[in-house]
Amino acid sequence: MAEQSGRIDCGSTDSIRLIHESVQMEERVLDVLIRNGCRNEDLKEVSSLLSMIYGYGFEIGKRCVKE
């Protein structure tokens, strides 16, 4: 779960949960953009950027997960 600092407590996270939480966060960001009238081109660009961020975050996050 998230600590007060906004960081995920790595001690209780497994790789499946990490992936699931990342997908949920991407959906939330895109939902906010859609509700605020962003164009499809902007949504595609944001989705691409989020995928890159997710990739980097997952590589770093793998060090935190329980094996």
Side-chain angles (χ1 to χ4, degrees), residues 2-18:
E3 297 175 352
Q4 284 186 323
S5 66
R7 296 175 56 180
I8 294 175
D9 175 12
C10 293
S12 63
T13 303
D14 61 25
S15 57
I16 294 172
R17 183 174 169 184
L18 183 65

Side-chain angles (χ1 to χ4, degrees), residues 50-64:
L50 288 172
S51 293
M52 287 175 31
I53 291 168
Y54 165 76
Y56 287 119
F58 185 73
E59 286 302 314
I60 293 167
K62 285 193 302 188
R63 292 181 251 163
C64 293

Side-chain angles (χ1 to χ4, degrees), residues 21-32:
E21 288 180 8
S22 297
V23 170
Q24 286 180 327
M25 294 304 282
E26 181 178 4
E27 290 172 357
R28 286 185 200 167
V29 169
L30 292 175
D31 185 51
V32 167

